[in-house]
Amino acid sequence: MSYCTLAVVGNFTYPSTSTSNPNPKVSISNSTQRRKEFVSLLKNCKDANQILPIHAKIIRTGHDQDPFILFELLRLSSTLSSVNYASTIFQLVHNPNVFLYTALIDGFVSAGSYSDGISLYFQMINRFIVPDKYVITAVLKACGSRFTLREGKEVHCQASKLGLSSNRSITMKLMEFYGKCGEFDDARKLFDKMTERDVVASTIVINCFLDHGLVEQAIEVFDRVRVKDTVCWTAMIDGLVRNGEMNMALEMFREMQKGNMRPNEVTIVCVLSACSQLGALELGRWVHSYIGKHHRIELNHFVGGALISMCSRCGDIDEAERIFAMMKERNVITYNLMISGLAMHGKSIQAIEIFRGMIKLGLLPTSVTFVAILNACSHGGLVNLGLEMFHSMSRDYGIPPQIEHYGCIVDLLGRVGHLKEAYNFIHNMEIAPDHVMLGSLLSACKIHGNFELGEQVARILMNHGVVDSGTYVLLANVYASSGKWKEAAQIRAKMKEGGIQKEPGCSSIEVNNEIHEFLLGDLRHPQKEKIYNKLEELNQVLKEAGHIPATDAVLHDIEDWEKEQALAIHGERLAICYGLISTKPGTTIRVVKNLRVCDDCHSMIKLIAKITGRKIVVRDRKRFHHFENGNCSCGDYW
């Protein structure tokens, strides 16, 4: 093969070749015309099946070794999710050059087949084919995604020998590679050596730190970027959300707004995710109105789904339903979010109607869909329908039940008091139960007063091995509820021995676009005096209304008056009191709690809602509770 001229194909500078014509009957001019025809046909393909007849014609006319056509064929096959077909084509190439290797390596990387891409690159090196900057950037991406430090360092060494390591695109890929592999010193050295440390390079370093949970280091780099673009802001906000720094993410978004930087749809989804986690409904509503005013952000599956999730998780399920109805196009993910949201809020019948509507439209449910619909059946106590849905998974849709689906059935049977049936269901399962499922049955035994079966489940749990702090607390709660203080003390001692600490309860409320958090007996709030005065006032009113504290919820063998005091300062009560003194009469109070609402707080909030005439919405670890007129949407089972 003799290289005589350079031609541009796609994004690559491709060497044209003068080769002997494989078919003597075809003139060179005719062959060039055919090449253009085939490349044009391939570029117009929209589906992998359209490639096959064109490829057949390419073979029949003797153009199956033409590098220009092969390049387009490999690139297109990879793009249209037919990387295996592209690999088969490549194996039949007599003398593949660096550009054909690049096309297939790129295809492997795009398809997530990183190991295949790395192997192909080193095959190319072993055949003494000199790599260029395009193939090096492609294989570095594969090395970073697979965390293959040794191979990536070899590529870095090769790039240096070829004088390519100073190339900007390669330098940035090297930074990304070292960052993903946790080699921050190497990534930082490359960054510091760059003559042009602009926002793009800085964003790569920021992402590397955030991917490894190094928030402070990411902020340090971020603060030094003089001119930040939307991508840089979004990377920072997204990383904070991924690292659980929701308040910081929202503060960062406010700073972005002050700088008159317009968010894109990715930014919007990240902010909505933070709002969802914190229960920041007012800020979420502002983001929704922002979308309405700026038409360049569409209410597509991506944004619409995030809005549905935010409204559902922040307690406004009615608004979530309105957004769902407004969406012109919905996919299975959108339906899953809507069904899940309705289930969390106890709207079981509506969730089932949405599910049936999805099936009528011909959308196939997924494993996630069935978790959502089984949760809806559980929260509604719909035993027969829940069991039918469970069996239809494998029978009608070929979806094998997983631990989450089995757990929903156990929760459903426990909710309606079919405890023995739930126990037998666990015993006959094809997979081993986890501590979440056993904990659900144990909780049902406590609620229904079946302490004999509860102790059996407790023994299984203790021998299970993997038990979290919440399960230990539940075990102690069951023993304490039946007056077995010695056993409850043993559970607490076991927690202490194992270094397992009870997760502290934390309740938050959004007032005037600001999140206020309250722990047990919290004294940090600037309005603590007013809050505790309101709490004292409420306690007196509740006492007069006949409220008797559920002291069995306190897991210590102490006097009842001490238990009453412990219950009275729970975080959700403080949050509700702050809501009552900080919002106008008639305003719905929305509280987010990281743990399950205790029995006494649940009965107390029902009374507060009735006495104050307020609607109070509380989101705990598992579901929503809508308190109104002395009732709760959960039907006193949660």
Side-chain angles (χ1 to χ4, degrees):
M1 183 181 290
S2 62
Y3 297 103
C4 53
T5 60
L6 289 174
V8 175
V9 180
N11 292 325
F12 301 98
T13 304
Y14 198 105
S16 62
T17 59
S18 67
T19 59
S20 57
N21 193 344
N23 188 341
K25 294 181 180 179
V26 182
S27 67
I28 292 175
S29 61
N30 195 18
S31 179
T32 303
Q33 185 60 36
R34 275 297 180 89
R35 174 191 291 161
K36 289 180 180 178
E37 176 191 331
F38 285 131
V39 169
S40 177
L41 284 170
L42 287 167
K43 283 184 175 180
N44 289 326
C45 287
K46 305 295 181 188
D47 184 82
N49 293 327
Q50 294 176 316
I51 298 173
L52 300 176
I54 299 170
H55 189 200
K57 193 173 182 181
I58 288 167
I59 294 169
R60 285 199 306 272
T61 56
H63 288 79
D64 56 312
Q65 296 298 314
D66 185 304
F68 289 92
I69 295 172
L70 280 170
F71 178 85
E72 194 60 38
L73 196 56
L74 291 170
R75 186 194 66 78
L76 188 69
S77 298
S78 302
T79 304
L80 296 177
S81 302
S82 299
V83 72
N84 290 335
Y85 188 67
S87 182
T88 303
I89 294 168
F90 186 85
Q91 289 170 20
L92 298 172
V93 179
H94 297 162
N95 295 300
N97 57 28
V98 65
F99 304 100
L100 298 184
Y101 270 104
T102 301
L104 186 54
I105 290 169
D106 238 357
F108 279 135
V109 172
S110 299
S113 301
Y114 304 116
S115 296
D116 291 331
I118 295 166
S119 297
L120 187 62
Y121 173 83
F122 283 102
Q123 179 194 108
M124 180 188 80
I125 296 299
N126 290 336
R127 290 185 178 181
F128 304 104
I129 295 172
V130 179
D132 63 8
K133 62 182 180 180
Y134 300 109
V135 74
I136 286 174
T137 54
V139 77
L140 282 172
K141 183 177 179 180
C143 290
S145 299
R146 285 289 297 164
F147 311 111
T148 52
L149 185 61
R150 183 177 61 83
E151 288 83 352
K153 282 187 171 182
E154 284 184 37
V155 176
H156 187 182
C157 184
Q158 290 157 4
S160 297
K161 287 178 179 177
L162 293 167
L164 295 172
S165 59
S166 59
N167 176 273
R168 178 174 168 79
S169 59
I170 289 177
T171 300
M172 290 201 289
K173 276 295 171 194
L174 281 167
M175 283 194 307
E176 188 179 355
F177 156 70
Y178 282 119
K180 284 187 175 180
C181 292
E183 299 291 319
F184 298 112
D185 289 342
D186 289 326
R188 196 63 188 256
K189 282 176 188 175
L190 288 162
F191 179 67
D192 291 339
K193 283 180 182 177
M194 290 183 75
T195 54
E196 191 182 347
R197 280 173 289 191
D198 60 4
V199 65
V200 180
S202 298
T203 303
I204 289 171
V205 177
I206 288 165
N207 271 324
C208 290
F209 282 130
L210 290 169
D211 286 345
H212 287 80
L214 302 172
V215 173
E216 288 183 12
Q217 290 87 334
I219 291 173
E220 182 188 333
V221 176
F222 180 81
D223 287 342
R224 290 211 302 264
V225 181
R226 291 180 181 178
V227 182
K228 303 176 180 75
D229 61 8
T230 299
V231 175
C232 186
W233 280 102
T234 302
M236 195 68 230
I237 293 168
D238 173 55
L240 290 170
V241 171
R242 286 188 286 112
N243 283 283
E245 298 288 351
M246 306 304 166
N247 281 316
M248 206 181 288
L250 295 183
E251 187 57 40
M252 192 69 70
F253 178 65
R254 291 186 185 100
E255 290 295 319
M256 182 182 181
Q257 294 294 291
K258 288 175 187 176
N260 295 318
M261 185 62 62
R262 277 193 170 188
N264 57 26
E265 69 174 33
V266 180
T267 324
I268 293 296
V269 169
C270 292
V271 172
L272 288 172
S273 177
C275 292
S276 297
Q277 298 293 327
L278 290 172
L281 181 61
E282 292 308 315
L283 181 58
R285 283 173 173 166
W286 181 89
V287 174
H288 188 190
S289 68
Y290 181 92
I291 295 167
K293 290 173 186 174
H294 296 81
H295 300 294
R296 64 190 185 89
I297 298 178
E298 296 179 12
L299 193 65
N300 54 23
H301 303 314
F302 191 48
V303 176
L307 275 169
I308 289 169
S309 178
M310 183 276 296
C311 290
S312 299
R313 291 179 63 81
C314 290
D316 195 349
I317 190 63
D318 295 333
E319 183 61 21
E321 289 185 272
R322 279 192 288 272
I323 292 164
F324 180 79
M326 283 168 54
M327 292 178 69
K328 293 178 182 178
E329 293 182 9
R330 309 181 192 112
N331 59 13
V332 68
I333 297 171
T334 318
Y335 275 93
N336 289 349
L337 288 166
M338 192 67 253
I339 294 167
S340 179
L342 289 165
M344 277 196 297
H345 286 269
K347 292 194 167 189
S348 303
I349 301 302
Q350 294 93 320
I352 291 158
E353 287 172 357
I354 294 285
F355 174 78
R356 286 172 174 163
M358 182 186 85
I359 299 300
K360 281 182 183 178
L361 288 172
L363 287 171
L364 289 175
T366 64
S367 176
V368 176
T369 314
F370 279 103
V371 171
I373 201 64
L374 289 173
N375 263 323
C377 292
S378 175
H379 289 161
L382 306 171
V383 178
N384 292 334
L385 182 59
L387 290 170
E388 170 57 27
M389 289 284 186
F390 178 79
H391 293 305
S392 73
M393 284 178 60
S394 51
R395 184 189 65 216
D396 300 335
Y397 301 101
I399 301 172
Q402 296 170 3
I403 193 73
E404 296 85 359
H405 305 104
Y406 285 109
C408 289
I409 295 299
V410 171
D411 193 58
L412 170 58
L413 294 171
R415 178 178 295 272
V416 296
H418 296 178
L419 304 178
K420 197 65 180 175
E421 191 178 340
Y423 183 84
N424 291 334
F425 180 83
I426 291 174
H427 185 71
N428 295 323
M429 286 189 332
E430 295 180 3
I431 55 178
D434 63 2
H435 70 278
V436 177
M437 185 188 300
L438 293 167
S440 174
L441 179 55
L442 182 60
S443 180
C445 290
K446 176 182 174 292
I447 290 168
H448 292 287
N450 190 336
F451 295 109
E452 184 181 344
L453 182 59
E455 285 203 55
Q456 288 184 49
V457 178
R459 281 193 291 272
I460 297 169
L461 262 170
M462 293 305 293
N463 295 325
H464 193 268
V466 182
V467 181
D468 60 13
S469 63
T471 307
Y472 272 114
V473 171
L474 178 60
L475 280 165
N477 204 339
V478 169
Y479 284 125
S481 297
S482 57
K484 296 188 175 182
W485 298 108
K486 183 182 176 182
E487 288 82 352
Q490 287 173 346
I491 296 295
R492 292 197 301 274
K494 191 163 185 177
M495 285 180 70
K496 192 174 181 181
E497 287 170 15
I500 300 167
Q501 293 186 341
K502 179 182 179 295
E503 184 181 353
C506 178
S507 298
S508 62
I509 182 170
E510 182 188 23
V511 177
N512 297 326
N513 287 329
E514 189 176 348
I515 302 296
H516 301 261
E517 292 184 341
F518 296 91
L519 304 174
L520 174 72
D522 210 324
L523 296 171
R524 299 171 300 166
H525 200 278
Q527 296 191 51
K528 59 181 180 291
E529 287 184 14
K530 290 182 179 179
I531 292 169
Y532 277 92
N533 286 339
K534 189 66 179 179
L535 180 62
E536 187 61 36
E537 177 192 322
L538 276 177
N539 286 337
Q540 188 60 39
V541 173
L542 292 169
K543 194 172 182 180
E544 291 171 4
H547 174 65
I548 301 172
T551 52
D552 60 347
V554 180
L555 307 183
H556 297 280
D557 189 11
I558 56 178
E559 296 298 323
D560 281 353
W561 67 269
E562 294 176 287
K563 294 179 181 180
E564 287 179 24
Q565 281 192 331
L567 290 168
I569 54 175
H570 277 190
E572 55 264 56
R573 303 190 191 204
L574 300 176
I576 289 168
C577 287
Y578 181 66
L580 288 170
I581 65 173
S582 305
T583 59
K584 295 177 182 179
T587 305
T588 299
I589 294 174
R590 303 175 195 276
V591 175
V592 175
K593 184 173 173 65
N594 64 330
L595 304 177
R596 176 185 178 274
V597 177
C598 78
D599 296 355
D600 187 66
C601 285
H602 191 270
S603 60
M604 186 269 308
I605 298 170
K606 285 199 296 183
L607 272 174
I608 291 177
K610 184 178 181 179
I611 292 165
T612 62
R614 298 276 197 127
K615 181 176 181 180
I616 302 173
V617 180
V618 179
R619 184 183 97 195
D620 71 6
R621 178 169 278 180
K622 289 188 72 174
R623 62 169 297 152
F624 276 87
H625 301 264
H626 292 255
F627 298 95
E628 200 168 10
N629 299 322
N631 297 307
C632 180
S633 59
C634 74
D636 295 339
Y637 189 105
W638 70 102

